Amino acid sequence: MKFAVPRGTSDILPDAVILWEELESKARRICKSYGYREIRTPVYEDTNLFKRSLGSTSDVVNKQLLELASGKGDEGFALRPEGTASVVRSYLENSFDKKERLSKFFYIGPMFRGERPQKGRQRQFHQIGVEAIGIDGASPFLDAEVIALAMHLLKELGVKEPKLKINSLGSKEDKVLIAEFLRKKLAGHKDNLCEDCQNRFERNVFRVLDCKNEKCGEIIKEILYTDASVGQPLNGMPYSDISRKYFEQVQFSLKEIGIDFEISPLLVRGLDYYTHTVFEITAEGLGSQDAVGAGGRYDRLLDDLGGDEKTEFGAIGFALGIERILLASGRTTAAASGVDAFVIAMKEEYQPQAFLLLQQLRKAGISADMSFSGGSMKSQMGKADKANARFALIIGEEEIKNQAVALKDMQASTQEAVEIENIVSILKDKLRGPIIG
Ligand code: HAM
């Protein structure tokens, strides 16, 4: 019987791991430079946490939750489809709201959605995400900071021309009025909408705006989105003055720091928790799944998940898809760095001494390896080359007799005899390189 990796998941093999490590450490450094701290939450949570936060009409909850049921008390739990709900849960559970006025978190890890796999769409994928939450979290500068951080990360991580689209959904109260406005506008066309949109009409009319169905798109264009309003918020949308002003300030702050964007009035996002600013970033070369990242404001989610009702929270975040970043950057592997030293036993009987030396090197912080199957000098030197070793340490008859080791510089092809008791310090000096200046 043969086993294969589950559909929609993939192994990240050692050559690719080097690239992932590089990407993750860059992401950590950049997030920290904006004052965000790493948080790690479990990969599964109470299913109701996701239902309550992402919304029961969202596809992620309706069609894609991967629920656990081993019969060992894990019923009612689901693998996390995204990170925001978990971070908000943890923020409230650990009383960050009592400790700081603004908490800035980032996370890197796997997410799970039972989707139909295709290029750029997997069942297990990875996100780099940030969430800024707190009493001081309702500032348009924070929206601009979070968007700037997303763009900064994407550029540093090799995405060539990320394109930013932004929109505002208005406050929670505005959303009720906007939904009514949309229903009124769409009422005469309801029967011509696709089946999904006919359902969405009552339950979540916003989603009609970004439906991929051609016919729905035409209807939307006809009644809501005339050429005159391209690049502008939708005409006649009943935003409150406060929401309109807030969105203008976000745009102003983005322009001030030189971030290009396009206002996309049909951008509504598939998760229910958003209010005010929403955004999506796309990149070339990804086919139909062209969003490398997305996010937005979710001020009211804190109340919905049990936050103190008397506190006015502000919160905004985003998540970037690591697989899509890699696809967009065109990189699949990175050059492996080699070991510092490769130990060679010239005869099988010297293997114990070679193994002892190997462990001494590793304990001293020198990366090292050897051939456990022994072999000829030539084949072991071949292995040292393959391991990209900087030095070979050769133990032969002469060396055993003199308590020494032959130290071969693999780049310069020079060789010298070194007493075994000095080998660690000499190697360390050589690896450090010459001190300049
Ligand atoms: P999202 O738009 O569902 O938002 O996902 C964010 C990003 O994750 C997408 O733009 C995409 O790059 C990647 N992604 C999503 N699903 C898949 C998949 N099946 N396969 C590969 N990549 C995928 C969120 O997750 C929100 N939590 C973002 C957020 C944070 N909003 C506020 N804070």
Side-chain angles (χ1 to χ4, degrees), residues 54 60 81-85 107 113 115 120-127 129-131 269 271 273-274 280-281 291-298 316-324:
L54 314 183
V60 174
E82 57 101 60
T84 313
Y107 49 90
R113 297 183 191 178
E115 301 202 71
R121 189 161 76 188
Q122 290 181 261
R123 290 190 172 166
Q124 177 177 333
F125 58 99
H126 298 75
Q127 287 185 340
V130 316
E131 313 293 347
R269 308 278 299 119
L271 309 171
Y273 50 56
Y274 293 111
E280 192 171 89
I281 306 163
V292 268
R297 203 158 253 296
Y298 51 91
I316 181 164
F318 66 77
L320 311 176
I322 298 186
E323 285 81 357
R324 291 190 193 173

Side-chain angles (χ1 to χ4, degrees), residues 54-330:
L54 314 183
S56 51
T57 60
S58 68
D59 284 352
V60 174
V61 161
N62 249 344
K63 304 183 190 160
Q64 299 165 0
L65 270 191
L66 293 171
E67 298 188 49
L68 306 181
S70 72
K72 295 201 170 107
D74 54 8
E75 297 79 8
F77 290 92
L79 292 175
R80 62 179 185 192
E82 57 101 60
T84 313
S86 307
V87 172
V88 171
R89 193 260 315 130
S90 178
Y91 171 87
L92 293 171
E93 191 175 347
N94 293 293
S95 306
F96 276 95
D97 52 335
K98 311 278 183 304
K99 294 184 272 201
E100 21 186 73
R101 293 186 64 87
L102 182 65
S103 304
K104 305 207 284 189
F105 305 105
F106 74 91
Y107 49 90
I108 301 177
M111 307 292 160
F112 306 86
R113 297 183 191 178
E115 301 202 71
R116 199 169 41 77
Q118 64 178 88
K119 182 182 171 193
R121 189 161 76 188
Q122 290 181 261
R123 290 190 172 166
Q124 177 177 333
F125 58 99
H126 298 75
Q127 287 185 340
I128 301 168
V130 316
E131 313 293 347
I133 310 168
I135 301 153
D136 287 350
S139 156
F141 290 111
L142 188 61
D143 298 51
E145 170 181 285
V146 162
I147 292 173
L149 173 52
M151 296 303 280
H152 188 162
L153 280 166
L154 288 172
K155 284 184 190 157
E156 284 279 325
L157 300 177
V159 176
K160 269 153 223 112
E161 281 178 35
K163 290 211 166 44
L164 170 66
K165 289 185 207 146
I166 63 171
N167 191 21
S168 172
L169 302 178
S171 65
K172 194 165 180 175
E173 294 71 27
D174 294 347
K175 275 178 88 175
V176 176
L177 298 176
I178 294 171
E180 263 173 38
F181 167 85
L182 290 175
R183 272 192 215 105
K184 218 185 273 168
K185 283 265 191 186
L186 285 167
H189 301 266
K190 196 179 160 191
D191 295 343
N192 297 328
L193 295 172
C194 74
E195 212 181 304
D196 274 348
C197 282
Q198 293 195 18
N199 288 327
R200 288 171 182 150
F201 186 85
E202 288 305 333
R203 287 154 57 100
N204 188 354
V205 68
F206 283 90
R207 291 311 310 275
V208 178
L209 295 184
D210 71 349
C211 178
K212 299 278 181 286
N213 183 294
E214 216 172 290
K215 229 162 121 202
C216 296
E218 273 165 23
I219 294 172
I220 294 297
K221 208 165 169 192
E222 189 189 320
I223 66 162
L224 289 171
Y225 192 54
T226 62
D227 282 344
S229 64
V230 169
Q232 292 296 321
L234 284 184
N235 283 333
M237 285 280 221
Y239 291 110
S240 66
D241 283 349
I242 296 177
S243 301
R244 206 175 279 278
K245 193 133 199 246
Y246 190 93
F247 192 43
E248 279 166 13
Q249 283 173 332
V250 173
Q251 294 169 49
F252 175 78
S253 309
L254 287 173
K255 282 183 194 148
E256 281 287 289
I257 55 172
I259 293 196
D260 291 335
F261 58 87
E262 183 187 295
I263 297 175
S264 175
L266 302 184
L267 176 66
V268 293
R269 308 278 299 119
L271 309 171
D272 279 4
Y273 50 56
Y274 293 111
T275 50
H276 293 288
T277 316
V278 286
F279 58 97
E280 192 171 89
I281 306 163
T282 55
E284 295 285 312
L286 292 176
S288 63
Q289 303 302 313
D290 64 350
V292 268
R297 203 158 253 296
Y298 51 91
D299 299 342
R300 300 298 277 269
L301 179 59
L302 280 288
D303 296 344
D304 292 348
L305 294 183
D308 183 353
E309 275 174 27
K310 289 191 281 306
T311 309
E312 289 254 333
F313 290 102
I316 181 164
F318 66 77
L320 311 176
I322 298 186
E323 285 81 357
R324 291 190 193 173
I325 291 176
L326 291 174
L327 273 174
S329 74

Side-chain angles (χ1 to χ4, degrees), residues 340 364 366 390-391 424-436:
D340 297 327
I366 296 167
R390 180 75 188 77
F391 295 97
V424 165
S425 64
I426 288 179
L427 256 184
K428 276 193 163 174
D429 276 352
K430 286 186 184 285
L431 287 165
R432 212 177 293 129
I435 296 165
I436 300 163

Side-chain angles (χ1 to χ4, degrees), residues 389-414:
R390 180 75 188 77
F391 295 97
L393 306 186
I394 305 157
I395 302 177
E397 203 176 338
E398 204 51 24
E399 285 78 25
I400 292 283
K401 217 179 351 167
N402 300 332
Q403 291 284 297
V405 52
L407 172 63
K408 182 176 167 107
D409 185 322
M410 300 289 280
Q411 281 166 8
S413 281
T414 51

Side-chain angles (χ1 to χ4, degrees), residues 333-348:
T333 55
S337 55
V339 290
D340 297 327
F342 199 89
V343 182
I344 294 175
M346 282 178 70
K347 284 189 184 162
E348 207 177 324

